[in-house]
Amino acid sequence: MALFDLPLDQLEQYRPAVEEPADLDAFWARHLDAARTRAVLLSAVRVDTALTGVETWDVTFAGDAGHPIKAWFSRPAGTDDVVLPAVVEYLGYGRGRGFPQERLTWATAGYAHLLMDTRGQGGQYGSGGATPDPVGASPSAPGFLARDVHDPEMYYYRRLITDAVRAVDAVRALPGVDPARVSVVGNSQGGGLALAVAGLVPDLTAAMASAPFLCHVRRALAITDAAPYAELVQHLAVHREAEEQALRTVAYVDGMHLVRRARADVLVATGLRDTVCPPSTVFAAYNHYGDLAREAGETGPEREMAVYPYNHHEGGEGFHLDRQLRWLRERVLA
C-alpha cells in the first residue's frame, strides 16, 4: 500500500473537532459503577505450563454485567514474596488468549502480567479463546463492530471496554501486585482498548497503544474499505436509516473522545501505510490525549508517538516492542 492519508506534517497537527455525546461521563460512570457492585475476582488457579522461568494462573474475573471473563496471569518465577508492577494486555481483533506460553514478554521483563481474553472472539487468529459472549445481537454484519450498534447501552464495544476496565480492577486485586503501578498495552483492537481504559481509569501509570482501532471512527469509515471498519459500512449499506443512531452509539466508545480524560503517560505507534487503522485516526486520538488536564491548567500526561513510514498495520513489530520495554522501564522500574 502506498501512502494514502495526510502528509506527516499535517498528521502531527491533526485535531479534528470533538463530537462526543453530552452525557459521555455520566454514561460511563453509570456502567462502570454497576460493574463494580460485584466482587471482581471469581477464581485464580495455578496452571502447569512446563516453563521454569514464569509462573501462571488461570484467572476468571467479573466483567460487564458480572459475566465471567478469562485471563492469564503470569509473573517471574520465584517472586511470590515480591510486590511487582503490573501490565494488563488486550488482544487484537479476532484473537483469544490462546496459551499462556505465547505471551511471555512482560512477565520475563519483571512485571506481573494479566492477558485479558476477549468475549466472543478467538475464532479468527491465533490459538483460540475461552470466553463466550452471553449477550445476543440485533441484526448486524458479520463481526463485532456492528453488533448491537443501534443501542449504546448494549453495544458490543461498550461491554468489551467495561471488561477491559474490570481487568485493571482484577489485577489490582491479585496478590503480589502493586496497585499504584499498573500500565496497559495493546495492538490494534487491543490498542484501542488500552486508550479507552486510559481515559476511564484516572490513576494508571502508563498506556501503550500500537495501531489503535476504534479512534475517530467517522473518518475511518470515510477513508478505508478495510475490515473491521468495513463491517459497519456493510451494515449501513443495508440499514440505510440507521446511520445517525450507529454513529451516535460509536461516539460513546470512540478513543478520540475517551482519551481527552487520560492522565497516564502514553506511547502510541502508527504505520503511515496502515489502511486497517489509518494514521489520521491514530493521530486524532493522540493529539487529543490528555486535553482535559491541559485545559484545567495542568501539565498533562507525557505523550510520545512512534511513526513507521514504510509499514502497514504490522507497524514496528519487534523493533517497537524493544522501544516499549525501554520506555516503560524508565517510568516504572527505574
Side-chain angles (χ1 to χ4, degrees):
M1 170 58 66
L3 295 173
F4 71 101
D5 208 336
L6 299 173
L8 181 57
D9 60 340
Q10 294 182 32
L11 289 170
E12 291 173 339
Q13 304 300 319
Y14 186 59
R15 287 177 53 87
V18 172
E19 300 178 7
E20 66 181 42
D23 66 337
L24 183 66
D25 290 320
F27 175 89
W28 279 107
R30 174 162 46 83
H31 284 289
L32 296 181
D33 287 349
R36 285 171 169 150
T37 61
R38 298 173 171 88
V40 67
L41 278 181
L42 301 179
S43 66
V45 179
R46 181 80 170 267
V47 296
D48 179 8
T49 63
L51 299 175
T52 59
V54 174
E55 297 172 346
T56 300
W57 288 258
D58 185 349
V59 168
T60 306
F61 67 91
D64 182 63
H67 297 154
I69 308 298
K70 302 296 289 183
W72 294 124
F73 177 65
S74 300
R75 54 187 295 135
T79 62
D80 290 352
D81 297 328
V82 181
V83 176
L84 298 175
V87 173
V88 177
E89 184 174 2
Y90 307 112
L91 293 160
Y93 196 91
R95 290 190 181 274
R97 67 174 183 167
F99 294 98
Q101 298 94 321
E102 297 178 89
R103 304 271 178 161
L104 300 176
T105 297
W106 298 105
T108 56
Y111 301 90
H113 175 229
L114 187 80
L115 177 68
M116 187 187 88
D117 204 13
T118 308
R119 61 165 65 221
Q121 297 190 32
Q124 292 173 258
Y125 308 99
S127 305
T131 303
D133 184 2
V135 179
S138 61
S140 64
F144 303 96
L145 186 60
R147 185 163 295 177
D148 286 311
V149 75
H150 298 182
D151 182 359
E153 302 293 330
M154 293 302 298
Y155 186 40
Y156 175 82
Y157 276 98
R158 197 283 301 160
R159 295 184 288 113
L160 184 59
I161 290 171
T162 303
D163 294 345
V165 170
R166 290 292 275 165
V168 172
D169 296 343
V171 81
R172 284 175 163 163
L174 286 164
V177 170
D178 182 353
R181 293 187 293 165
V182 176
S183 304
V184 292
V185 65
N187 179 71
S188 193
Q189 175 183 260
L193 292 175
L195 290 182
V197 172
L200 293 169
V201 180
D203 56 349
L204 289 177
T205 298
M208 297 170 286
S210 304
F213 177 54
L214 215 63
C215 296
H216 198 9
V217 177
R218 283 180 179 267
R219 178 164 175 83
L221 296 176
I223 68 172
T224 183
D225 291 325
Y229 288 115
E231 295 171 2
L232 188 51
V233 172
Q234 180 183 359
H235 177 67
L236 294 177
V238 175
H239 298 275
R240 299 168 180 83
E241 78 293 346
E243 178 185 12
E244 181 178 350
Q245 179 57 57
L247 292 177
R248 176 178 179 272
T249 294
V250 297
Y252 284 97
V253 303
D254 194 314
M256 183 178 72
H257 299 157
L258 295 175
V259 298
R260 298 179 66 241
R261 293 146 177 81
R263 294 181 176 273
D265 291 350
V266 70
L267 172 61
V268 181
T270 186
L272 294 189
R273 298 162 193 262
D274 187 351
T275 57
V276 177
C277 297
S280 58
T281 68
V282 177
F283 270 95
Y286 175 80
N287 288 332
H288 279 294
Y289 190 95
D291 271 356
L292 297 191
R294 288 187 291 274
E295 290 172 7
E298 303 172 20
T299 303
E302 293 184 11
R303 298 175 297 166
E304 187 173 321
M305 174 67 84
V307 176
Y308 299 99
Y310 296 96
N311 289 100
H312 195 287
H313 195 54
E314 80 283 359
E317 298 184 296
F319 184 89
H320 187 67
L321 178 58
D322 179 75
R323 183 169 179 169
Q324 287 178 319
L325 285 163
R326 297 174 189 279
W327 182 86
L328 190 61
R329 183 177 63 184
E330 291 176 0
R331 285 156 178 79
V332 177
L333 298 181

